[in-house]
Amino acid sequence: MRRQKDGFIGERSLVLPESRIGELKKNPLFAALYVTDIGHYPHAHNHYRQRREPIEQYILIYCIEGCGYFSVGGREYRVSENQFFILPPGVPHAYGADGRNPWTIYWIHYGGTMAACYSDGLYAPRELAPQVNARFAERIALFETIYRTLEWGYGNENLLYASSVLHHLLASFRFVHQFRGRWDESVQADIVETAVLFMEENIEKKVSVAELASYVGYSVSHFTALFHARTGLSPIACFNRIRIRRACRLLETTDMKINQICHKVGIRDCFYFSRLFRREAGMSPMAYRKLKK
């Protein structure tokens, strides 16, 4: 099996210049917590990385779909959907995607005088169980904020802002219960709103009607009938509409490539994505971007 550390369809990654990191470490805000590398690998077939020579940064890997594994300290761990782990600095390690069901991951390398406060004790896989108030989408939005800010450039203000947002992102993993907070019980009581929220929270994944029905506690037939009566759409048609709305926003507000946006809304086949987009928006993704730009 061919192993690769990067080069996946739809991937995004940034590596900050060491010179910029060194220059800004004099700033106490930056020195407390900073990003050195950041990326998103969708459906990463044959992904594998081994470091016999350890690095100085912590590594956060958040698996939103599929499976993988990592080994550290002579022990191997399995990683599955909605789990994350943090690798400590100064320790050899290896990690990779499952051969049959490769993972989709968000990852960040980071350091700083406060890095251990968010990281120590999280070296085994931790579960982020799906709930009505799981706030998966908000956590990923924090990642995207950091990525987009650094994509704009490595000026002082960008790096300092990325460091500030990183505090919130890491806190969402360290203090999961507090991040989720309280939720309006009326949302939980309405199965359609609950199902739509689940779609929005899991937009990057393949979600079946059976999963949606199970999540709200109904049979597939009963759930589908209720959903159609309330919305006039099937659950999948509604999910596709949500995907295309999100794709439109990404086309308007980012410079992400079409195949990257395709994966960001949970569609792995770019040709199918283009057909679906044209059907919902009345034009191709590229034409839509040109119109809005």
Side-chain angles (χ1 to χ4, degrees):
M1 179 181 71
R2 182 174 62 89
R3 291 173 165 180
Q4 60 187 94
K5 64 180 183 179
D6 53 25
F8 310 103
I9 295 174
E11 77 165 46
R12 294 176 294 147
S13 63
L14 293 170
V15 178
L16 276 66
E18 291 185 13
S19 59
R20 290 297 296 124
I21 295 171
E23 290 167 7
L24 213 54
K25 278 186 179 179
K26 298 172 184 177
N27 184 295
L29 173 59
F30 186 81
L33 193 68
Y34 55 85
V35 178
T36 64
D37 309 66
I38 184 170
H40 171 225
Y41 289 170
H43 204 59
H45 280 289
N46 303 326
H47 181 217
Y48 179 76
R49 188 67 190 262
Q50 182 178 33
R51 292 186 178 92
R52 293 189 175 91
E53 294 295 326
I55 60 176
E56 298 178 358
Q57 296 81 36
Y58 289 89
I59 303 175
L60 165 69
I61 294 183
Y62 174 30
C63 175
I64 67 163
E65 190 175 20
C67 302
Y69 63 92
F70 70 96
S71 59
V72 62
R75 183 174 177 183
E76 183 168 299
Y77 300 86
R78 299 294 299 174
V79 182
S80 57
E81 181 178 330
N82 296 326
Q83 290 189 331
F84 75 94
F85 61 94
I86 296 176
L87 293 169
V91 180
H93 59 253
Y95 51 84
D98 180 80
R100 295 183 178 180
N101 185 20
W103 60 15
T104 292
I105 57 172
Y106 286 89
W107 55 267
I108 294 185
H109 295 206
Y110 61 94
T113 57
M114 294 188 65
C117 299
Y118 293 105
S119 314
D120 286 350
L122 299 179
Y123 304 145
R126 296 295 183 94
E127 184 87 17
L128 297 172
Q131 296 177 359
V132 173
N133 58 339
R135 297 178 69 185
F136 290 145
E138 291 183 44
R139 183 178 284 109
I140 290 174
L142 291 171
F143 172 94
E144 293 293 348
T145 297
I146 295 171
Y147 191 96
R148 186 172 62 251
T149 300
L150 296 175
E151 198 173 35
W152 289 339
Y154 301 136
N156 288 5
E157 296 298 310
N158 286 358
L159 293 178
L160 290 171
Y161 182 64
S163 292
S164 300
V165 178
L166 181 59
H167 281 276
H168 194 183
L169 177 62
L170 295 178
S172 78
F173 290 100
R174 181 81 199 191
F175 308 108
V176 175
H177 179 70
Q178 288 75 15
F179 178 68
R180 288 177 170 177
R182 299 180 62 186
W183 199 256
D184 187 347
E185 292 181 0
S186 65
V187 175
Q188 298 184 43
D190 189 311
I191 68 154
V192 172
E193 289 186 34
T194 301
V196 169
L197 180 61
F198 185 84
M199 295 174 190
E200 292 172 343
E201 289 278 287
N202 294 274
I203 197 166
E204 295 188 41
K205 303 177 184 178
K206 294 179 68 176
V207 177
S208 67
V209 177
E211 288 177 271
L212 289 167
S214 175
Y215 182 72
V216 298
Y218 281 71
S219 68
V220 171
S221 58
H222 192 189
F223 167 69
T224 302
L226 286 172
F227 197 97
H228 190 274
R230 277 285 306 277
T231 67
L233 298 169
S234 70
I236 294 302
C238 179
F239 198 15
N240 283 336
R241 187 163 292 180
I242 290 170
R243 293 184 194 278
I244 298 306
R245 282 205 303 265
R246 180 74 58 86
C248 287
R249 190 156 66 248
L250 292 171
L251 286 165
E252 293 172 25
T253 61
T254 76
D255 293 321
M256 290 169 60
K257 298 175 181 177
I258 302 299
N259 69 352
Q260 293 172 334
I261 292 175
C262 174
H263 282 84
K264 277 292 293 178
V265 298
I267 301 173
R268 295 174 189 156
D269 185 336
C270 289
F271 294 106
Y272 173 70
F273 169 72
S274 293
R275 291 198 303 272
L276 182 62
F277 191 97
R278 186 181 290 276
R279 189 172 71 203
E280 292 288 337
M283 64 185 74
S284 70
M286 188 61 70
Y288 183 88
R289 170 169 272 170
K290 288 180 179 178
L291 178 67
K292 294 299 178 178
K293 294 288 185 182

